[in-house]
Structure formats: C-alpha cells, structure tokens
Amino acid sequence: MRDKKDALKEKLYTIIFETDTPAGKAFDILLIVAILSNTILIIAESVDKILKAYGFWILILGWLFLFIFAVEYILRIFLSENKKSYIFSFFGIIDLLAILPVFLGFVFPQLRFLVVIRVLRLLRLFSILKMGRYVDESSHLLRALRASRAKITVFLFTIFFIIIIVGSMMYVIEGPENDFDNIPESMYWAIVTVSTVGYGDISPQTPIGKFISSMLMIIGYGILAVPTGIISHELAHTSMINKGKVRTCSNCKKESNTDEDMFCSKCGTPLNNKK
Amino acid sequence: MRDKKDALKEKLYTIIFETDTPAGKAFDILLIVAILSNTILIIAESVDKILKAYGFWILILGWLFLFIFAVEYILRIFLSENKKSYIFSFFGIIDLLAILPVFLGFVFPQLRFLVVIRVLRLLRLFSILKMGRYVDESSHLLRALRASRAKITVFLFTIFFIIIIVGSMMYVIEGPENDFDNIPESMYWAIVTVSTVGYGDISPQTPIGKFISSMLMIIGYGILAVPTGIISHELAHTSMINKGKVRTCSNCKKESNTDEDMFCSKCGTPLNNKK
Amino acid sequence: MRDKKDALKEKLYTIIFETDTPAGKAFDILLIVAILSNTILIIAESVDKILKAYGFWILILGWLFLFIFAVEYILRIFLSENKKSYIFSFFGIIDLLAILPVFLGFVFPQLRFLVVIRVLRLLRLFSILKMGRYVDESSHLLRALRASRAKITVFLFTIFFIIIIVGSMMYVIEGPENDFDNIPESMYWAIVTVSTVGYGDISPQTPIGKFISSMLMIIGYGILAVPTGIISHELAHTSMINKGKVRTCSNCKKESNTDEDMFCSKCGTPLNNKK
Amino acid sequence: MRDKKDALKEKLYTIIFETDTPAGKAFDILLIVAILSNTILIIAESVDKILKAYGFWILILGWLFLFIFAVEYILRIFLSENKKSYIFSFFGIIDLLAILPVFLGFVFPQLRFLVVIRVLRLLRLFSILKMGRYVDESSHLLRALRASRAKITVFLFTIFFIIIIVGSMMYVIEGPENDFDNIPESMYWAIVTVSTVGYGDISPQTPIGKFISSMLMIIGYGILAVPTGIISHELAHTSMINKGKVRTCSNCKKESNTDEDMFCSKCGTPLNNKK
C-alpha cells in the first residue's frame, strides 16, 4: 500500500517537476497554455463590453483556472522534499501570488486583476523548453548590468539629486497656480521631463520656469547618453570574457585578451583555451 | 510564327527583368518615376482641398497607374519561367498588393489608400540602380540585427512582462475614472510611457500612480540603453567579420581577429585573406 | 595717390580678413560682440512687452547693425581679390543672407526676423579665436558621420517607408473623425511618434489604431538604437585612423591597426609612424 | 584651562571632521539621518494636506533642524585651522546655502523651500562611508565626460545654432496666433522638440510648420545619437587608461595598448606594469 503511494508520488513528481518524460513535457506545455489563456482572460475581463457579453463564461473559466493553479501549488508543496525551500524560492512565491489576489478580490473587487502576475510563471518556459540560448543571453545581459552596477548607482544618485533640487526650484518658481501643486508633484514633473517622456499634463508657464526646463532637457539629453554608453561598453567587455577571450594565467595571474595567445606572454606558462 | 513570338517574349523579358540593356534601364527608370508619382498622387488624394480642386485628374491618373501596374504584373507572370516562384516571392506579393486595394476600394472606399504599399516596390531601386554599397550596408545592418536576435528576444520578453504587470497595476490603482478604462488601455499607456513617447492622452492622476509611473520611466531609461548597447556592440563585431578580419583556420578552426595574421597562430596553417 | 589707396586697401584687408595683427584681432572681437548683441536684439524684438517698452531704441539699433553689416559686406567684396569666389563661398552667402531679410521685411514685416541667420556668422569664431581643438573635433565628428553615410541613408530610407505605410494605414483606420485628417497629417503623426517626441496633438482613438501605434513605438525603440550604434562604432573607428593607429603599408597597402607595429606584418616594409 | 579647551577642541574636531573613531562615525551617521529626514520634511511641508494636519510639528522640527545645521556650521568654521579655505570650499558653500534660505523665507515665504539644497550635503556620504568604489566610478565617468569636453562643446554649439534658427523660422511661420508668441517661446518649443520631450503645450498648426518640425525631429534623432556615441567611445578609452592598459614608454614615449607587453615594442625599454 505504502509502496503504491510512494510510486504514485514519484510518478507525479516526474510529471510536475521534470521535463524529460513525455508526460512531463505534456504537463509543462499544458501549463504554458493555461497561463497564457488565463492572462488573456484577465485582460479581457477588464474590458466592460466583453465582461457584459461573456461575463458568465469568464466567471466559470476564472474559477477553473484558480482551481487548476491551486491544485498545482498544493501538489508542488506536497511533492517537494524540502518544502520550505520551494515555498520561499522565487517561483514558489510567484506561484502563491498567482492565487492570493482572488481571495483579496472578495474584499476589494479591483484587486482580483492582480492575478495577472501569473504571467511571470511563464519565466519557467525558458527552462522547460530548454531555450538554452536565451538563458545564456539573459545571463550575458544580466552580467553586463551587474558589472556596471557601481556606475549605474552613481548615475541614479545623480538623477536623484537633480530631481529633488530642480523639482523644488520649479515648485518655488511656478507654484500651485501653474499646476506645480507641491514638491512631490514637481519631482514627478522633473522625472517626466528628464526621461524625455513629456506627457504635458504639467508644463512650465513662466519664462524663468521655461528656461530652467530647457536646461534640464539639454542636461537630460547628455544624461541619457551615460547609461547607454555604460551598457554598450560593458556588453563588449563581458562578451570577451564570455567567449573565453579573457583568460587568466594559472602561474602569474596575468590576463590574456585574445584567443591567439597559446602561452602567457609574461611568464611562458601554456594557457588553457576554454572556448 | 512561333519563333517570332518567342523572340518578342525574350525581348520583353530582357526589358522587364534585366537592367543591362538601354531599353531595360529605361524601363526601370520609368517604373521608379511611375511609383514615386503614384505615391505622391495617393497622398495628395487624401487631402480634401486637393481632392475637391483636382478630383477629376486624380481619378484619371489613378486608373492610368492601376492599368500600368496591372499590365506590368500580368507581363511579369507571363514572362517568368517559374511562374509560381515569382508569384510567391517577396516582390511578387508586393506587386499584387499594389493592385488589390483598388478593388477592395469598391466595397470599402477608405481601403483604396492602402495601394500606398506600392511604394515598397521602390526597394527594387537598390538592385536596379546597382546601388551595391547600400545593399552591402543593409545586409551589414541586417546581419548585426540577426546576430543579436537572441538578445533582442530576451529584451522584448522583458518589455512584455513589464507592460502586462505595470499595465494591470495601473488599471487597479487609477481605474476607469482616470482614463485607465481597462487593462489593454493601461498596457497601451505603459508602452507610450516606456518608449518615452508620452502623448499625455492618458496620464496618472493619483499620487501612487504617479510614483509607479516615475519608477517605470527611470527603468524605461535604463531599458532604452540595452538595445542600443546590443546593436552598437554587434555592429562592431559583424563589421570585423565583414572586412575579413575574423577568419577561421582551415586546419584547426581557430579564429583569427586581425588582418595582420598571415598564418594561424596556433598551428601554422596559412590563412586565406578574403578581403 | 594710387599707392596711398593701395596701402589703405591692403591695411583694411589685413584688418578684416586676417587675425594676426592687433587691429585684425580687435576687429574680429568687435564683430563677434556685434553679432551676439544683434542676435539678442532680434530675439528681444519679437517679445511684445519689450517691443512696446523699448521699440524706439530697438529700431535705432536694428538700423545701426544693418548699416555695420552692410558696410562690412561691401568692404569684403571690394577687398577680395577673387570677388566671385568670396560671394559664392559659404560665408559669402551667409553674409548676404544676414542683410537681405531686412528688405524683405518692408513687404512682409514678419520676415525681418529671419535676419537671425546672422548668428551663423559666429561660425567664423572658430577660426578667429584659433580654437583649433574644436575644429579638429568637429572634423572628427563630421568624418564619422560621412563614413557612416551609406548606413545612415539606408536607415533614413527605412524610416521613410515605415512613415508612408504606417501613416496611410492609420489614416484608413482612424480617419478624419479622429484628427487623422489626411495622409500628410498621418505621416506627421508617425514622425512625431517614431521619434518619441509625442506631442499628443494627434493620438490614436480606436483599439486597432492604438495597437498599431504600440507596435510602431516598440519598433521605433529598436530603430532609435541603430543610428546610435552606427555613430558610436564609427567614432571609435575614425578615432583610430585619426590617431595614426590605422596606417597603410606603402608597399602592399595592408592596413596596420596598432601603434605597436614598426614593420608591415605582411611584407616587412617599415611603417612610418604618423602620430 | 587653555589645555582643557584645546583638548575639547581637538576632540570635537575628531568627531566632526574625521570618521575613524566610533564617535566620529556615529556623528556622521547621525548627520546623514538628519539630512535625509530633513529633506523628507521639506518635501512633506509643500503638500497642503500634510501641512494642515501636522503644521505645528513641521514648524518645530524645521526649527530644530535649522538649529542643528547652524550649530554644526559654526562649529566647522570654529574648528577649521584654515577658516577661509573651509568657508569657500565646495562643501563650505553648500553648508551655508543649507541655512540661508530659511532667513530669505521671512521675506519671500516660498523661498524657504530652497533649503532642500541641504540634500547635496549627502555627497559627503561617499567619503564618510568609505564608498571607494563609487568614488572611483564617479571619477571614471567624470574623466570620460572631461575627455570628450571638446566634442560635447561642438555638439552644444550645433544644438544652439539649430535652436535659434529653427526657433525664429517657426515664429515667422506659425506666429502668435498658433501659440508661438515670440522667439524665446519658439526656442523653448524647439528645445522641447529636439530633446524628444514633446509636452504638446505648443505644437505646429500650419502644414509648412509641421513639415519643418518633422525635419527637426528626424535631425534631432540623429543628433541624439552623437553624445551617446561620444560617451560610449570615451568610456571604453578611459577604461583602458584606468586599468593601466595604456602605458607610456619612459624612454621613447610610445604608448602601449595592452597589458601583455612587458617591453616597449619600439625601443625595448622595460615597461612598468601599474595595474
């Protein structure tokens, strides 16, 4: 009896957590289809016309999807050997967040739309479909971003100072009579301007306000160039590391930049080509 | 009799498909002039004042151009040895699309303006005028884009997730009373914002909505930097490949980075300089 | 008598065309001051309040500046040995355009403001003040732009096709009832959108129009990356040429990429280091 | 008595100016907390609702912070050996500007918000928290910007000419009846357009005005690419210098580009590796 139960558990584990068996693959593809159609359903539900025409079916399908995801979540906990590590893993939290808002929706109906976060479960798609190349590229991009973390922090601090100071100046200059109601509002305007979005819901009216805005835009221009420069520089660098073109000598720790080198140009130790 | 017909067919083929003879070149230049003047005509037709003043002539010329392009299309089919391959080729489809909307225009008058797609026939201009350099550069740009396909896919997926999640959040926060009528509308707003277009037809009104928008703009800022970095990195790389600076050793498959190398630096096999 | 006249002519020539003598330098600096104050005067004249308060003085000063620039223009023609080459040179034309609009202003008063083109005369400032470094950098930037001419042409053609086709589609979809009055207007909207300016004076109203706009924005995003990539790649390349790092072997025409090379790596001819 | 006073002065100096002792560190952290909470207080004060609800406490806290910063400023002057050099140093001026607007606020109440400049005192945070890495990266970024100073000046001049000339043209074409009230206003519009902010508070109405705007946007597009290209090129270059990869031979002044070189490739002098 116990063996039978264990065998069932093992089989379920293979289906849900692994992707090598046909059943496992079928389950994963079904899950992707479910997530995608559920996302479309949630988006459609928010459109008044569609809700009025198909409200009943949307309701039914919504509960069905909830049921599927809830059962899946419980199974995943039940089948995990280390339950805690699953529950507090990135995907464990996403899986829970994909269910919770439905219950919050009983109290604040609007919040039920937040189940759209389920779409993040698609991130599993990368590992499921063995889209190795995309995972590689993502990690390449992430590594470039991480490598330029310090530069980007400096950049964000600069933006932060500019926004607080220009925001306050514009509040003093333009004031509530020109829609710069308070400093937070002015700071929002400064962000809208420096990022070149420019909605135009708030815009300077006084000559001196227009002059300061103009300065901010031209500076914003130059500032926009900085992260681009950082990232394109970093991409080139990590790409060289990625391709094994930057290798470290095992003897003297000197870095070699090119594939061409067979021996360390400093101490003569043979380099191992990792490509 | 048959020979005469064949000779005519061959002559026509030379004129229409080839560009080496004076007649062929004249035909091609006439075609370019026809396409350009036709495009201007269609654009002019949409302007009420012009249509009222010159409606009769626009009508006549419109039919004339249709006749020219239809005859040309039929001749091209008739003269092609492999008719199917022409009809389903890129230019074959464009040639058909350049005629069809006129007939659709009988049922839905507005659709007649879609014949503007004829302008794409100008793409033939590149091969006609032997603008080799531009073709080279296009293929260089296309190769750079293709090489960064995986990176760009990752980038588009990231944008896709951000737009769905921020769009839904803003719908919950702002709601229909602040013009965020439904999730698709909110997603449209998110795209308008993250791409820094910022029409201002929809803009956040609540403090929390403005705060989330500000975050989105600053993130959009950084995101904007990623494709630029990718493409400028890829352009530099494909440019090196393009110029024959990256060559592969025929013996050991080692890549050489510079024109300077005459022999593979790993195994001594002479490299063939493709430049 | 004649000698005296010639001596005067020569002296004037030295003052006006040359900058090595103290008098020549003084003249040039006076000219810069005159151009700058005149530009400010024209800008000020357009402001109603200022015109009402100081109209008389603005009028007097305006005629004074006209007199100065006209006398200078006549002197320049009179003193040039090759009068034709001066008149049709870049600066000769600018000098004339700096005077003409005043007379056009008698017929169409608004046109008098076009004398603001006088500001372009400041370009002489670079050569006057011997700002060699800036001239160097300008020519570096221009060379980078010129080197990527073919790529930029391909890019502008792509934009041109996108704008015509998307513009026409949006005219068909949205139509005059949603401010897309005609195809030129739609094309203007497409340019405003693809360049991420986004005034919001025209914006899509129908769901399908919003969807196409969203696609256009995401594409515009990627397109924005192309010229940046081109220019940053080209700057790096021309910078290497600039610094004498790319040299051509006088014997076999092979290009060398680095300062390090003393001999052509292909044929052994000594390279001349131009740095 | 004097010794005691001197000892106290020395102790205070250690606390306020140095960060190595526990007391010194505690003082610095308290200062950061004070600056941050004061900034939040000023921002909150500008919001009407908050001011009405907590006006009394905001007033009390505002005076408290003023007292703290004033006492600190006086102490800093009193403790500095070279008082003048502190008062006119960058941080000395910021420290003063952080106090002054309160008194200006007695005359012009709005100006009291300018004390927000206190936030700049946070810049001390970098040296206080020994965030060496960020200081390095800032100086790397600053060096890249400084290295491209001449290029950026050329770029700003180009923008300046375009804005004056296009601004004046648009004033002539559109005129006050289309919100282009005067040339400064038109120039403001040109900056809003060329920086792709595009508020839409002023936008062209006439066909010819729309055509010129379109040209400006497409040019603005290309112009946007220039500073990005400059900075990403310069970052790569200064990064190489930074990492000691560009070294100058002490004998023949030849620059070496790579870490690999142990000897000058021109004259054989051993290179000192600064990495």
Side-chain angles (χ1 to χ4, degrees), chain C residues 23-210:
Chain C
K25 201 157 194 178
F27 175 80
D28 290 335
I29 287 169
L30 267 175
L31 200 62
I32 290 173
V33 172
I35 294 167
L36 277 179
S37 35
N38 184 221
T39 305
I40 293 166
L41 189 81
I42 298 163
I43 292 175
E45 186 180 349
S46 77
V47 183
D48 250 25
K49 269 193 216 161
I50 298 179
L51 187 65
K52 266 173 199 152
Y54 308 99
F56 177 71
W57 296 107
I58 287 173
L59 194 75
I60 298 286
L61 280 169
W63 283 105
L64 180 68
F65 281 119
L66 175 67
F67 178 74
I68 294 171
F69 294 130
V71 165
E72 188 214 341
Y73 181 62
I74 290 162
L75 273 177
R76 273 182 199 271
I77 294 180
F78 176 69
L79 296 170
S80 296
E81 274 184 52
N82 188 337
K83 291 182 206 324
K84 246 191 187 162
S85 88
Y86 164 69
I87 291 174
F88 295 102
S89 70
F90 176 70
F91 281 120
I93 290 167
I94 293 292
D95 290 349
L96 183 62
L97 284 177
I99 300 166
L100 272 190
V102 180
F103 302 102
L104 282 170
F106 293 140
V107 194
F108 309 100
Q110 283 295 314
L111 290 185
R112 76 181 187 280
F113 290 106
L114 293 180
V115 293
V116 89
I117 208 160
R118 277 173 196 167
V119 81
L120 279 184
R121 303 191 68 204
L122 282 180
L123 287 175
R124 271 197 179 119
L125 182 125
F126 289 120
S127 54
I128 285 171
L129 301 183
K130 306 228 180 287
M131 295 162 97
R133 211 185 145 191
Y134 297 98
V135 176
D136 273 11
E137 294 294 356
S138 310
S139 64
H140 182 181
L141 285 172
L142 279 178
R143 206 173 312 134
L145 286 172
R146 214 172 294 142
S148 44
R149 207 178 34 225
K151 275 202 202 68
I152 286 172
T153 307
V154 168
F155 167 75
L156 287 177
F157 259 90
T158 313
I159 293 281
F160 171 77
F161 284 125
I162 290 176
I163 283 163
I164 285 191
I165 289 170
V166 174
S168 306
M169 279 171 70
M170 290 299 281
Y171 169 63
V172 171
I173 292 164
E174 297 277 337
E177 62 275 21
N178 292 330
D179 288 331
F180 289 75
D181 290 341
N182 45 55
I183 295 182
E185 196 88 342
S186 279
M187 284 165 65
Y188 162 72
W189 166 86
I191 294 173
V192 168
T193 299
V194 94
S195 65
T196 78
V197 171
Y199 288 132
D201 50 350
I202 310 171
S203 66
Q205 304 298 324
T206 63
I208 192 160
K210 285 179 180 178

Side-chain angles (χ1 to χ4, degrees), chain A residues 228-241:
Chain A
T228 312
I230 294 170
I231 289 173
S232 79
H233 167 54
E234 217 58 66
L235 270 176
H237 190 68
T238 58
S239 153
M240 279 164 78
I241 296 174

Side-chain angles (χ1 to χ4, degrees), chain A residues 46 113 116 119-120 123 133-134 137 155 185 188 194-199 201 220 224 228 232 235 239 259-260, chain B residues 149-151 161 168 171 182-183 189 193 196-200 203-204 210 221 228-229 232-233 254-255 257 265:
Chain A
S46 76
F113 290 106
V116 90
V119 81
L120 279 184
L123 286 175
R133 207 180 150 197
Y134 297 98
E137 293 294 355
F155 168 75
E185 195 88 343
Y188 162 73
V194 94
S195 64
T196 79
V197 170
Y199 287 132
D201 50 350
L224 195 68
T228 312
S232 79
L235 270 176
S239 153
D259 264 1
E260 277 81 42
Chain B
R149 208 179 33 227
K151 276 202 200 70
F161 283 125
S168 305
Y171 169 64
N182 46 54
I183 295 182
W189 166 87
T193 299
T196 78
V197 170
Y199 288 132
S203 66
K210 284 178 180 181
Y221 223 82
T228 311
S232 78
H233 167 52
K254 198 188 149 301
E255 277 191 359
N257 256 322
S265 58

Side-chain angles (χ1 to χ4, degrees), chain A residues 79-92:
Chain A
L79 295 170
S80 296
E81 274 185 52
N82 189 338
K83 292 183 207 320
K84 244 190 189 165
S85 88
Y86 165 70
I87 291 173
F88 294 103
S89 70
F90 175 71
F91 281 119

Side-chain angles (χ1 to χ4, degrees), chain D residues 19-186:
Chain D
T19 57
D20 299 334
T21 59
K25 199 156 196 180
F27 175 81
D28 290 336
I29 287 168
L30 266 176
L31 200 61
I32 290 172
V33 172
I35 294 167
L36 276 180
S37 36
N38 184 222
T39 306
I40 293 166
L41 189 81
I42 299 163
I43 293 174
E45 187 181 348
S46 77
V47 183
D48 250 26
K49 271 194 216 160
I50 298 179
L51 187 64
K52 265 172 199 152
Y54 308 100
F56 177 72
W57 296 108
I58 287 173
L59 195 75
I60 298 286
L61 280 169
W63 283 106
L64 180 67
F65 281 120
L66 175 66
F67 178 74
I68 294 171
F69 293 130
V71 165
E72 188 214 341
Y73 182 62
I74 290 161
L75 273 178
R76 273 181 199 272
I77 294 178
F78 176 70
L79 295 171
S80 296
E81 274 183 54
N82 189 338
K83 292 184 205 322
K84 245 191 188 165
S85 88
Y86 164 69
I87 291 175
F88 294 102
S89 71
F90 176 71
F91 281 120
I93 290 167
I94 294 291
D95 290 351
L96 182 63
L97 284 178
I99 299 167
L100 272 191
V102 179
F103 302 102
L104 282 171
F106 293 140
V107 194
F108 309 99
Q110 283 295 315
L111 291 185
R112 75 183 187 279
F113 289 105
L114 293 180
V115 295
V116 89
I117 207 160
R118 275 172 197 168
V119 80
L120 280 185
R121 302 191 68 204
L122 281 180
L123 287 175
R124 269 193 181 125
L125 181 124
F126 289 120
S127 55
I128 285 170
L129 300 182
K130 306 225 180 288
M131 295 161 98
R133 208 180 150 198
Y134 297 99
V135 177
D136 273 11
E137 293 294 354
S138 311
S139 63
H140 182 181
L141 285 171
L142 279 178
R143 206 172 314 135
L145 286 172
R146 213 171 296 143
S148 45
R149 206 178 37 226
K151 275 203 201 69
I152 286 172
T153 307
V154 169
F155 168 74
L156 286 177
F157 259 91
T158 313
I159 293 281
F160 171 77
F161 284 125
I162 289 176
I163 283 163
I164 286 192
I165 290 170
V166 174
S168 305
M169 278 171 71
M170 289 300 282
Y171 169 64
V172 171
I173 292 164
E174 296 278 337
E177 62 275 21
N178 292 331
D179 288 332
F180 289 76
D181 290 341
N182 46 54
I183 295 182
E185 196 88 343
S186 279

Side-chain angles (χ1 to χ4, degrees), chain B residues 100-231:
Chain B
L100 273 190
V102 179
F103 302 101
L104 282 170
F106 293 140
V107 194
F108 308 100
Q110 283 294 314
L111 291 185
R112 75 182 187 280
F113 290 106
L114 293 180
V115 293
V116 89
I117 208 160
R118 276 172 196 169
V119 81
L120 280 184
R121 303 191 67 205
L122 281 180
L123 287 175
R124 270 195 181 123
L125 182 125
F126 289 120
S127 54
I128 285 172
L129 300 182
K130 304 227 179 290
M131 296 163 97
R133 211 183 147 192
Y134 297 99
V135 176
D136 273 12
E137 293 294 354
S138 311
S139 64
H140 181 182
L141 285 171
L142 279 178
R143 206 171 313 136
L145 286 172
R146 214 171 295 144
S148 45
R149 208 179 33 227
K151 276 202 200 70
I152 286 172
T153 307
V154 169
F155 167 75
L156 287 178
F157 259 91
T158 313
I159 293 280
F160 171 77
F161 283 125
I162 290 176
I163 283 163
I164 286 191
I165 289 171
V166 174
S168 305
M169 280 172 70
M170 289 300 281
Y171 169 64
V172 170
I173 292 164
E174 296 277 337
E177 62 275 21
N178 292 331
D179 289 331
F180 289 75
D181 290 340
N182 46 54
I183 295 182
E185 196 89 341
S186 279
M187 285 165 65
Y188 162 73
W189 166 87
I191 294 174
V192 168
T193 299
V194 94
S195 65
T196 78
V197 170
Y199 288 132
D201 51 349
I202 310 171
S203 66
Q205 304 298 325
T206 63
I208 192 159
K210 284 178 180 181
F211 180 74
I212 291 176
S213 309
S214 301
M215 290 301 103
L216 183 64
M217 285 169 212
I218 288 172
I219 291 168
Y221 223 82
I223 287 175
L224 196 68
V226 173
T228 311
I230 294 171
I231 288 173

